Amino acid sequence: MTNRIAFQGEPGAYSHEACLAARPDMDPMPCDSFEEVIEAVRSGIAAQAMLPIENTTYGRVADIHRLLPESGLHILDEAFVRVRISLLGLPGARIEDIKTVRAHLVLLPQSSEFLKLHGIRGVSAADSAGAAANLARSKAAEEGVLASALAAKIYGLDVLAEDVEDHGHNTTRFVIMGPEPDHTRRGDHGMITTFVFEVRNIPAALFKAMGGFATNGVNMTKLESYMVDGSFSATRFYADIEGHPDDRNVQLAMEELDYFTSSLDIIGVYPRDPARD
């Protein structure tokens, strides 16, 4: 049986870092896209998938909410990774030597103050760890990369500056997914249930559906909407609540929700990570 955990990106990506932290006993497996990560688990090439959901600085990760319900996979755990951005350069390089840096588009604005202070121009790249690999091959002395310290170690680059992000709270939430659900566990810090639903086409359906959580004392930590198949009339909602489907108050809230929905699918029941606090 495979012991791989698939992630999107090159070795040294923050998703790779998340795999090492949350699943140190598994072998990280890089993939080119989120779709490939999901397919690796569905086909049995990998046992689990590490997928980023949201970041405290730039919000939710594009396409993930669309992919998760259609993946056929189930959330087993969540993991929070503090994104520490480092400036990487060739061995022996100095900060004052660097004229341009390459990084994933989302990292550049997160480090804008640092780049401005040092007069460095940012250039977007498809993948920060991939940019680190390219720098190691190109030997471009005046170029740097914004990436993880793990990427520096993997590709033989120097860390010229650490924690260059503008905000110290920069954290990404990941979910770990597998082919089979596990509703038997009870976490020491509580449980999270994640589900997606579409409301029926009746007046105030969403308002009425949400009422059951309030009246039954169920804390909803996330509620996000997104369009389905490019339609303005069909809206799907992604939600996280605190609790387990077997809890009586959660049962009552979900029964009321079901009455006002045209579809309702639970995609994960998993321990609440204390990093939420």
Side-chain angles (χ1 to χ4, degrees), residues 10-202:
E10 298 285 342
Y14 291 102
S15 293
H16 184 190
E17 198 172 88
C19 292
L20 296 177
R23 291 291 192 267
D25 58 332
M26 299 186 74
D27 299 322
M29 173 184 164
C31 298
D32 289 337
S33 66
F34 294 139
E35 288 87 351
E36 286 189 24
V37 171
I38 291 169
E39 184 56 34
V41 179
R42 292 175 61 176
S43 66
I45 297 174
Q48 295 181 2
M50 178 69 74
L51 293 167
I53 289 287
E54 58 197 333
N55 177 271
T56 54
T57 300
Y58 63 85
R60 72 184 185 188
V61 177
D63 292 335
I64 281 295
H65 291 67
R66 174 183 60 82
L67 291 172
L68 293 192
E70 301 168 359
S71 69
L73 305 182
H74 304 270
I75 302 174
L76 305 177
D77 284 294
E78 61 179 353
F80 293 80
V81 174
R82 169 76 165 82
V83 179
R84 299 186 180 277
I85 304 175
S86 296
L87 172 63
L88 313 184
L90 294 174
R94 302 170 302 168
I95 293 179
E96 51 266 34
D97 298 331
I98 305 302
K99 306 303 180 186
T100 62
V101 295
R102 297 185 184 277
H104 189 284
L105 183 61
V106 301
L107 294 190
L108 295 174
Q110 294 180 32
S111 306
S112 60
E113 292 300 319
F114 175 85
L115 298 180
K116 182 179 178 181
L117 177 65
H118 293 281
I120 300 174
R121 182 173 65 92
V123 178
S124 64
D127 181 271
S128 289
N134 290 335
L135 176 60
R137 289 191 293 266
S138 70
K139 307 295 185 183
E142 294 187 347
E143 286 191 9
V145 170
L146 297 180
S148 67
L150 176 62
K153 182 178 180 180
I154 290 173
Y155 301 111
L157 301 175
D158 281 356
V159 175
L160 308 185
E162 295 180 301
D163 298 338
V164 304
E165 60 273 14
D166 298 339
H167 303 289
H169 60 68
N170 193 6
T171 301
T172 297
R173 177 182 174 230
F174 293 84
V175 291
I176 302 167
M177 305 191 76
E180 299 294 334
D182 183 359
H183 295 182
T184 64
R185 298 172 298 166
R186 289 284 181 166
D188 294 336
H189 301 275
M191 298 293 290
I192 299 292
T193 297
T194 295
F195 55 93
V196 293
F197 64 95
E198 294 180 34
V199 294
R200 294 167 57 194
N201 188 23
I202 58 177

Side-chain angles (χ1 to χ4, degrees), residues 53-54 60 65 68-69 75 78 173 175 191-199 206 209-210 213 218-226 236-243 254 257 261 264-270 276:
I53 289 287
E54 58 197 333
R60 72 184 185 188
H65 291 67
L68 293 192
I75 302 174
E78 61 179 353
R173 177 182 174 230
V175 291
M191 298 293 290
I192 299 292
T193 297
T194 295
F195 55 93
V196 293
F197 64 95
E198 294 180 34
V199 294
L206 179 60
M210 294 298 96
F213 294 96
V218 177
N219 185 29
M220 180 169 285
T221 62
K222 176 176 290 296
L223 178 65
E224 294 188 349
S225 64
Y226 58 103
R236 182 177 289 167
F237 294 88
Y238 172 103
D240 290 340
I241 60 171
E242 293 187 341
M254 295 298 279
L257 174 66
T261 59
L264 172 60
D265 296 298
I266 293 176
I267 59 175
V269 179
Y270 49 98
R276 282 176 170 264

